[in-house]
Amino acid sequence: MRGVVFDGKQARVVDDLEIRDPGPGEVLVAISAAGLCHSDLSVIDGTIPFPPPVVLGHEGAGVVEAVGSGVTHVVPGDHVSLSTLANCGACADCDRGRPTMCRKAIGMPGQPFSQGGKPLYQFASNSAFAERTIVKAVQAVKIPKDIPLTSAALIGCGVLTGVGAVLNRAKVDRGETVVVIGTGGIGLNVLQGARIAGATTIVAIDANPAKEAVARQFGATHFIVASAARDSSAAVKEILPRGADHAFECVGNVKLIRQAIDLLDRHGQAVLLGVPGFKEEAAFQVSSMYLDKTIMGCRYGSSRPQRDIALYAELYRQGKLLLDELVTKVYPVEDFDKAVDDAHHGRVARGVLTF
């Protein structure tokens, strides 16, 4: 079968992947569509260290082909959106409703794939850039069949992360103010999360002026073009003289992390969603934090995927959550290199690979 494999030096499309049968508590899914996320690109450029060879992809949706023993919540033929969270469901964190903190969900990649008899790792417990993949039952969330799978694919990472950061982690409330730095796939979902939460002033900042229309479509009330010739922080202060209740950094740049912190009002929260280099450090003015300000990390939108994916699917059906509009371009998997180039140059909010 076809898939995208990173061998430690380059990523390429292959057609000779094999996958084992699902075991107890596992689901075999025929992938229909998968979003190309910057996390996949970060594996290729080394920002996210991951052992090769690995089958890439982690934002997918498809149709259940088979289930292992003990799986009852999905059956063959069901449409599912996949999460990357292979949490155990039994530890103290899972029991408290914090599956993103499950220690068995990180750092233990499986090898359900093989190529020429040699095992390949699975990225993010998911590997959606393959015609078929195996996930833990908890990762497969049943969705209505009337949701296009090219759109449903994006729920499992970009939407869970961005919308979840707003609703679950920051808990943005009605009437509050929000600044979003970076309007890529994650930033757009933060914008619509803030809109859904009822924030009244939502300021988007991006270096690309062409992104203004889509940022406003997703919920931005104001748009600021960041450039070397313009002080974007001063422009924010013209809109929010006292600062923002919440600032979300969605780029992964330590200077922008500092900007997010500096833009906060008293009792404000800076939420870090972008991923800088693995060993990079950020600085901030300590004295400013004594006004009850908070710097918050956020893993995967602090999500509970079985609950949240179903919720976001329903919000989409009600017209409250935008999914179709996130899909800028659809590529056959054979055009992976073109999709990567478009993502690198900011030509797409989200490119989606299809099989």
Side-chain angles (χ1 to χ4, degrees):
M1 65 180 185
R2 293 169 296 165
V4 179
V5 174
F6 176 62
D7 63 7
K9 296 181 179 179
Q10 65 175 350
R12 59 191 180 90
V13 180
V14 303
D15 61 6
D16 57 348
L17 283 180
E18 296 181 349
I19 192 166
R20 62 171 173 79
D21 294 331
E26 294 181 334
V27 179
L28 176 66
V29 179
I31 297 294
S32 297
L36 177 60
C37 173
H38 279 283
S39 293
D40 300 302
L41 304 180
S42 293
V43 173
I44 297 172
D45 67 23
T47 302
I48 295 178
F50 203 90
V54 56
V55 180
L56 295 176
H58 65 286
E59 188 179 64
V63 181
V64 175
E65 278 201 353
V67 300
S69 62
V71 178
T72 58
H73 74 292
V74 292
V75 299
D78 282 345
H79 287 200
V80 291
S81 178
L82 304 182
S83 86
T84 68
L85 202 58
N87 59 295
C88 71
C91 68
D93 283 310
C94 286
D95 192 52
R96 293 187 185 106
R98 301 187 305 205
T100 56
M101 295 298 104
C102 175
R103 285 169 170 79
K104 293 186 178 180
I106 311 172
M108 298 182 222
Q111 294 179 307
F113 300 96
S114 61
Q115 184 184 27
K118 297 181 179 180
L120 288 79
Y121 285 106
Q122 184 175 38
F123 179 54
S125 302
N126 190 306
S127 289
F129 292 169
E131 287 187 74
R132 292 174 182 81
T133 193
I134 284 177
V135 296
K136 291 183 66 172
V138 72
Q139 296 176 256
V141 184
K142 185 177 178 179
I143 58 173
K145 293 184 178 180
D146 59 356
I147 300 179
L149 290 171
T150 48
S151 298
L154 304 186
I155 301 177
C157 179
V159 176
L160 278 179
T161 299
V163 178
V166 175
L167 302 183
N168 300 329
R169 186 70 170 120
K171 299 186 185 301
V172 173
D173 202 357
R174 292 164 296 178
E176 292 189 321
T177 59
V178 172
V179 172
V180 181
I181 303 173
T183 59
I186 299 300
L188 290 177
N189 280 297
V190 173
L191 289 171
Q192 70 171 334
R195 170 178 52 77
I196 290 168
T200 50
T201 303
I202 306 171
V203 182
I205 305 173
D206 202 285
N208 185 352
K211 292 185 176 182
E212 178 172 1
V214 69
R216 290 185 179 277
Q217 180 183 21
F218 274 75
T221 59
H222 301 75
F223 187 88
I224 295 170
V225 179
S227 69
R230 186 180 188 192
D231 183 350
S232 57
S233 292
V236 172
K237 290 298 179 70
E238 291 178 7
I239 301 165
L240 299 171
R242 295 181 177 180
D245 294 314
H246 309 273
F248 295 82
E249 200 282 341
C250 305
V251 178
N253 181 295
V254 293
K255 291 182 179 180
L256 297 179
I257 290 173
R258 173 62 186 266
Q259 181 185 29
I261 297 168
D262 290 346
L263 285 173
L264 295 177
D265 192 2
R266 298 181 179 190
H267 206 270
Q269 299 180 141
V271 184
L272 312 186
L273 295 176
V275 182
F278 190 63
K279 294 184 178 181
E280 289 193 60
E281 297 181 357
F284 61 92
Q285 185 178 344
V286 177
S287 62
S288 70
M289 303 305 294
Y290 294 103
L291 293 171
D292 282 2
K293 297 181 183 182
T294 305
I295 302 171
M296 308 175 75
C298 183
R299 170 170 163 74
Y300 205 41
S302 301
S303 299
R304 294 161 66 181
Q306 285 288 338
R307 176 199 67 174
D308 290 349
I309 289 177
L311 168 63
Y312 300 154
E314 183 57 33
L315 290 176
Y316 166 80
R317 298 177 84 198
Q318 293 178 8
K320 298 176 181 177
L321 184 101
L322 305 181
L323 290 179
D324 304 338
E325 295 82 358
L326 284 169
V327 183
T328 312
K329 190 171 182 179
V330 176
Y331 310 80
V333 69
E334 289 80 8
D335 288 347
F336 175 75
D337 288 342
K338 170 62 175 171
V340 169
D341 187 66
D342 286 346
H344 271 310
H345 289 90
R347 301 185 190 109
V348 293
R350 214 42 147 216
V352 174
L353 304 177
T354 57
F355 292 88

